[in-house]
Amino acid sequence: MSSTTTSTSSRHRKTLQLVLVVVAALVLVGNFVLKSLGDDVAPAEGAEGSALATLETLTVQDAADDAGYDRESDFGTAWQDVDDNGCDTRNDMLQRDLEDFELSAGDTCQVASGTLDDPYTGATIEFERGPRSGDVQIDHVVALKNAWITGAADWDKDKRVQIANDPLNLVASDGPANMGKGAKDAAQWLPDNQAYRCEYVARQIAVKAKYGLWVTPAERDAMTDVLTTCPSEPLPAS
């Protein structure tokens, strides 16, 4: 190989090395700029009337002690006919949330069958009254025990019965998912169906705002994390 060829190859290598160094430097500068911009970006803010904006109005404090809590004596037996329409709350909610429901023969209230597009799991559940009635349960979106430790312990019995039967705080759901949720708040449990999480958290906030319940710091943070992905999520009305 001639000295001219060797010199040319050497220059090419040096040029390539220089290009690589410049590219690496640009990448580092770009990452720094993006990080700086990210640090300056304010968290999403909810529009007026949105769940996120309403969350910011709720009192934030630690949960109270659950001493003395008793579901039936504190919130009444399940289920009652608080709206005096002749149907208990469970059947009211089944009629609201099931598709193609049918009533038991000769009954104007009792739901015998229907189809639930379960919001918690995303599954379709065929409801049939009988041994497998528990496949579909009516969930208290803000669990009654959670309500107790975030303000309801100080209420009178009538107000507790009201929240226990308020359609705003109720949703038909997959039985096992409801049992798995138990009394957990949003920091401890969210629906597996991620497409429903914004609506789920918005409903919890609507209930807490309506009844003057507070949220814990962890609960507030978890709700914020969900709603920053949907800052315009509205509060449900019922």
Side-chain angles (χ1 to χ4, degrees):
M1 180 181 295
S2 69
S3 60
T4 301
T5 302
T6 301
S7 176
T8 301
S9 298
S10 178
R11 286 198 301 272
H12 286 168
R13 284 196 298 272
K14 289 179 180 179
T15 300
L16 179 59
Q17 290 171 349
L18 179 61
V19 170
L20 292 175
V21 169
V22 171
V23 170
L26 289 173
V27 170
L28 289 174
V29 171
N31 287 341
F32 176 78
V33 171
L34 288 174
K35 183 180 185 302
S36 298
L37 289 174
D39 291 342
D40 292 337
V41 174
E45 295 184 1
E48 183 178 354
S50 68
L52 185 56
T54 304
L55 174 59
E56 295 170 359
T57 70
L58 299 183
T59 299
V60 180
Q61 66 186 63
D62 292 336
D65 194 286
D66 65 358
Y69 169 76
D70 181 88
R71 195 275 187 232
E72 186 166 317
S73 64
D74 294 325
F75 291 88
T77 56
W79 293 92
Q80 301 188 28
D81 178 17
V82 295
D83 58 3
D84 296 322
N85 70 345
C87 300
D88 64 64
T89 303
R90 174 174 167 80
N91 281 291
D92 281 340
M93 294 303 96
L94 290 175
Q95 290 188 36
R96 185 194 70 180
D97 293 347
L98 297 185
E99 296 180 359
D100 301 322
F101 70 85
E102 295 186 3
L103 300 177
S104 298
D107 198 301
T108 59
C109 288
Q110 188 180 79
V111 176
S113 63
T115 302
L116 175 68
D117 290 329
D118 177 45
Y120 288 175
T121 65
T124 299
I125 303 173
E126 297 300 330
F127 170 76
E128 185 174 350
R129 181 169 297 279
R132 297 184 62 86
S133 289
D135 287 354
V136 173
Q137 298 180 10
I138 308 301
D139 179 42
H140 289 98
V141 180
V142 173
L144 299 184
K145 187 173 184 179
N146 178 268
W148 178 267
I149 63 176
T150 58
D154 296 328
W155 298 350
D156 61 31
K157 178 72 170 289
D158 288 344
K159 188 173 180 179
R160 294 192 199 117
V161 171
Q162 181 184 353
I163 194 175
N165 293 273
D166 188 341
L168 180 64
N169 193 34
L170 300 170
V171 62
S173 66
D174 172 74
N178 179 36
M179 298 298 290
K181 172 194 169 184
K184 299 180 180 72
D185 64 24
Q188 302 161 322
W189 188 92
L190 290 169
D192 287 341
N193 180 14
Q194 294 193 19
Y196 185 69
R197 288 183 177 182
C198 287
E199 185 176 343
Y200 172 77
V201 168
R203 186 170 288 273
Q204 287 189 321
I205 292 169
V207 171
K208 295 216 165 191
K210 178 177 180 178
Y211 287 93
L213 297 170
W214 70 76
V215 292
T216 67
E219 184 181 10
R220 185 268 318 276
D221 291 347
M223 288 175 162
T224 301
D225 286 345
V226 170
L227 293 176
T228 50
T229 69
C230 48
S232 296
E233 181 71 28
L235 287 177
S238 61

